[in-house]
Every structure is written in structure tokens, then in C-alpha cells.
Amino acid sequence: MSKSTYDADGITLEQVREYVWEIPQEGDMRAPARVLASEALLDEIKEDKTLEQIKNTTHLPGITNYAICMPDGHQGYGFPVGGVGALDAENGCISPGAVGYDINCGVRMMRTNLTYDELQGHEEELVDSLFANVPSGLGGGGIVEAGVDTVDEVLERGVEWAVENGHGVEGDLLHCEDEGHREEADASKISQKAKDRGKNQIGSLGSGNHFLEVQRVTDVFDEKVGEAYGLEEDQIVVLIHCGSRGLGHQTCNDYLRKIEQQHQGLLNQLPDKELAAAPAGSQLADDYYKAMNAAINFAWVNRQLIMHRTRQVFERVFDRPWEEMEMDLLYDVAHNIAKKETHEVDGEQRELFVHRKGATRAFPAGHPEVPKAYRDVGQPVIIPGSMGAGNYVLRGGENSMDLTFGSTAHGAGRLMSRTQAKDEFWGGDVQQQLEEQDQIYVKAQSGATVAEEAPGVYKDVDEVVRVSDALGIGDKVARTFPVCNIKG
């Protein structure tokens, strides 16, 4: 090891083992904080307030073992993006800020039996048709524009509602985290304002870092697991990244304001008001948990509708039924959630609110919550990179339960703010460069969105995945590379 300690502007980290750094417990911290990173990634992580934020997280009541920052960590709202915090579900709390505004912002990958050779020559037609048929950008407009009763059904039933209404098939349920449905959801805990914001956005990408991308599989690192996931080199897959749109944002905002009004005493104990939390067992904690689960269902339906619309676009472009192209859901993983899960702590089974903000559940082989199709090899984990970089499919690693409460990274992690990115890059130049140098076709509602998501804005996804793989929390299975990308 080249260093046993790492100093980052007044915060000292001690190296526990390779790629595991700890901020020791001191003062009012209730536990240590850990950062999982190489020194190269630490050099980037220290540039914003990520380390301060993960240290602040240890002040939350009920924090168990340690607060964790993943290799892709960067500054967020109160709790860093890439943060994992397991809080005791009986004596701890639940924090909307530690979940995030875009509840269940997640990714899903759909397989096809098409090869890259079969797709070549269709790129422009495909990207144009996807852009025309999948709503994107700020504001309203979705594949489904719903009344109040429909919104309530979506919130309470999740993907089951979508399949029943012709937006998917039964197999889609079996390959989604929790089969696309959180039973604890209660639509009555979502405000009318949030429902009004969401009712015309069901089946839409939104803006920012959300996207729909057609990709080709360039590498399969683990043949056995790759076969279980139905992946092989040169295959075409589709990746969808979006969340709960305005409904999730409004829900987070609603409960942050309620916490400020009802639990000022707890708020005053925390070093950052953005970590606002409701004590476990309180009415507000119960209400937020039910509302959050409803927003999780909403986001799963959102991605389901986009995926099924994508199948229909492929049917028109390639002039054959989507079933013949074997356009099946590989998996859907959620970010920005807090789930009640049972984990072993000090030799005892304890129920915890596991907050994963910009982090991915990564359960290993044999875990009962991994879908039966993948239980022998482990849960699929999907890690998007930037538009000009590779993306990865991992599997939940055998060390994830011990090291990270069954979690790993969720992407490359930002290096630059959106404002910085727009100052640094011009959207048109980025699009032209991607097409000319990498044969990646990008279409977006605005050049600003492309600039905000330029390849240089993100950390090195290869390094993030290398650390995850080395720690055994998420093992490399396959790599994909973009072909077409649409953005808001």
C-alpha cells in the first residue's frame, strides 16, 4: 500500500484494506464512515463536499456499522450520491434526503437477438423513430395521460397495472426488482399536487442524465453468468434510465417540509438540515415509507411503458414482431430508495432501512430475493457510463452483504456540475464528435442537455467497476457500448 492515511482538506481517512478507507468515529458521529475507492477516485471524490456529506450522515440516529460512499460518489442533497446508510428500523429513522428527489431513478436493460451487423445502416432511422415515439424533456407529455383513478392504480399496483393494460407481458414482472411492485405502497400518502405533476408523465424520460440507449455487447468477461443473463458478444441490447419524474420530486419535497414542521428536535441534532429525517415508529416515518413505495411503483411503470414502446419502434424499423427479436427484459434495478431489509449485524438479524442513494442493490447468488432465473449466479447489476464510454453488467458479489449491506455503485459519477459542463462543452460539437469518432448517434431536445452529459463530465466508469469487482461487491460480467442515444 502506498498510503495508510489520506488527507482531504481536513478530513483524514485511514486505509482499512485495499480500496477501503475509513473516517474514524469522533465527536457526535454515531459510527465511522467508509469510502470505497482507489486513490485515483479519491482524488476526484475529495474535490466537492462528498466526504463532508458522508461524515455528516453518521450523525443520523440508528446508523448501523458505518455510512458508506461508493466508488462513483459525488456531492448530493445532504446525503452524497453513491451513498449507502443502513438505519435501524425500530430505533433509528428514515430520511427523504438520503433517498433523493428522484425516487427510484433506476435502469433497466432489455435483450434482443439482433446483432450489431443487422443493426448497422438503421441507426439514423432508429434514433429518429425512438425520439419521435418516446416522450422526453422537461414538463408534461407521456405515453399514458391518466386520470386520478389510474394514477392511484399505478402507484399501488406497479408493473402489474402496466401488463394488465397492454404495456408488457408476464415475463417482464419476473425480471424486475421486487417483480415491479412494492406492497407497502399507499397512494393516499401522495399529495394531490404530486399526482397532478405525474399524471401526464407516465411513460416519459424527462431530462438531465436520463436516456434511452441502444447498445452492443462488446465483451463478456464471465461466460457462465453471461449465458444465464442471455448476453453474448455483438448482441444488441437497450438500456433505459429514468425515474418517478415530477411525482417523485414533489413527494420528496412534501415530506421534507413536513419533517421540518413536525420533527424540529431531531433536525436540530443534525449537522446538515438537508439530512432531515423522521424517527422510526413515528406517523410521519410510516407515511413517508408508504409514499416512497408508491413513487417506486410509479417509476417502475414509467420504465415499463418506455420499454414496451421501444419494442413497438423496433417492430416498425426491423419489420418483424418484437417477440421474434426476443426483446425480453434482462433486469430492472432501482436507485434512490430506502427499503426495509433484514441484515446480520453483530451476529443478530436486524431490520434496517437501507438507504441507497445513487447506489444499486447487489445481492449475491443464493439470496432469496434474487429472481429465480438468476438465483444460482447472483442479481444482475447495471452500471451506465457516459455517452462516449462503455456500460457494464455486473452480478451481486459474494462480499456485498458483509461490506455494503448488499450494494454497489450505480454509474460513473459526475466530475462536473451541469453549469460547469455547459460552460466547458457545446452540445452540437459533442454530438458531432460522438458520431464521427465513435459512430454513436445522439438525439436530444436541446444541445444544453447533451453538453451537460458530455463524456468528459463523468468519472472513469472502468475504474469504478474495477474497484467494485476487486472488492467482490459487484463482479464484472459484460461490457456494452452505445450505438444510438436519445435524451430529454
Side-chain angles (χ1 to χ4, degrees), residues 228-240:
Y229 289 176
L231 295 174
E232 56 187 45
E233 289 185 13
D234 216 35
Q235 176 184 7
I236 293 298
V237 296
V238 178
L239 194 65
I240 296 163

Side-chain angles (χ1 to χ4, degrees), residues 203-219:
S204 63
L205 283 174
S207 192
N209 64 344
H210 296 163
F211 62 82
L212 186 158
E213 194 165 82
V214 180
Q215 306 172 341
R216 59 188 169 102
V217 178
T218 56
D219 305 273

Side-chain angles (χ1 to χ4, degrees), residues 287-332:
D287 288 351
Y288 172 69
Y289 191 67
K290 291 174 179 176
M292 179 197 63
N293 280 291
I296 289 171
N297 285 343
F298 184 94
W300 274 326
V301 171
N302 193 27
R303 292 196 287 277
Q304 175 68 31
L305 265 60
I306 292 169
M307 182 181 79
H308 202 62
R309 176 62 62 89
T310 301
R311 288 166 167 163
Q312 293 163 347
V313 168
F314 269 68
E315 283 185 326
R316 290 196 289 272
V317 171
F318 294 99
D319 195 25
R320 70 190 90 156
W322 68 262
E323 294 90 345
E324 279 187 23
M325 292 180 277
E326 297 178 345
M327 299 184 74
D328 300 320
L329 177 60
L330 169 60
Y331 200 60
D332 181 298

Side-chain angles (χ1 to χ4, degrees), residues 145-295:
E145 297 195 359
V148 173
D149 290 347
T150 300
V151 173
D152 284 353
E153 275 203 84
V154 167
L155 291 167
E156 297 206 348
R157 297 181 61 204
V159 178
E160 185 182 79
W161 172 89
V163 171
E164 193 175 284
N165 284 273
H167 303 287
V169 293
E170 287 293 326
D172 297 337
L173 297 170
L174 301 177
H175 296 95
C176 184
E177 189 171 318
D178 296 329
E179 296 188 0
H181 176 233
R182 295 295 295 166
E183 289 183 2
E184 302 94 331
D186 184 343
S188 73
K189 304 303 180 185
I190 300 275
S191 71
Q192 190 57 50
K193 186 174 182 181
K195 291 175 185 178
D196 287 342
R197 289 185 67 179
K199 67 183 181 183
N200 296 325
Q201 296 182 332
I202 306 171
S204 63
L205 283 174
S207 192
N209 64 344
H210 296 163
F211 62 82
L212 186 158
E213 194 165 82
V214 180
Q215 306 172 341
R216 59 188 169 102
V217 178
T218 56
D219 305 273
V220 176
F221 306 108
D222 187 318
E223 294 291 339
K224 178 190 169 190
V225 182
E227 184 178 350
Y229 289 176
L231 295 174
E232 56 187 45
E233 289 185 13
D234 216 35
Q235 176 184 7
I236 293 298
V237 296
V238 178
L239 194 65
I240 296 163
H241 176 209
C242 61
S244 49
R245 299 294 325 272
L247 180 140
H249 191 282
Q250 187 63 47
T251 300
C252 178
N253 195 59
D254 288 342
Y255 280 90
L256 285 171
R257 301 292 83 81
K258 287 179 182 180
I259 287 169
E260 288 171 2
Q261 292 163 14
Q262 297 180 33
H263 294 289
Q264 193 66 43
L266 174 53
L267 199 58
N268 290 340
Q269 296 174 32
L270 300 173
D272 186 345
K273 299 295 185 281
E274 293 180 356
L275 288 172
S282 68
Q283 184 63 52
L284 195 53
D286 186 53
D287 288 351
Y288 172 69
Y289 191 67
K290 291 174 179 176
M292 179 197 63
N293 280 291

Side-chain angles (χ1 to χ4, degrees), residues 50-66:
T50 304
L51 296 177
E52 180 186 335
Q53 289 187 334
I54 200 65
K55 185 178 179 183
N56 287 343
T57 299
T58 66
H59 293 251
L60 287 166
I63 188 82
T64 303
N65 289 357
Y66 29 71

Side-chain angles (χ1 to χ4, degrees), residues 370-392:
V370 176
K372 287 181 183 176
Y374 307 132
R375 201 166 292 163
D376 289 344
V377 294
Q379 176 210 308
V381 176
I382 302 157
I383 308 281
S386 67
M387 285 186 292
N391 308 268
Y392 285 87

Side-chain angles (χ1 to χ4, degrees), residues 96-107:
V99 169
Y101 275 93
D102 193 1
I103 298 166
N104 188 8
C105 169
V107 290

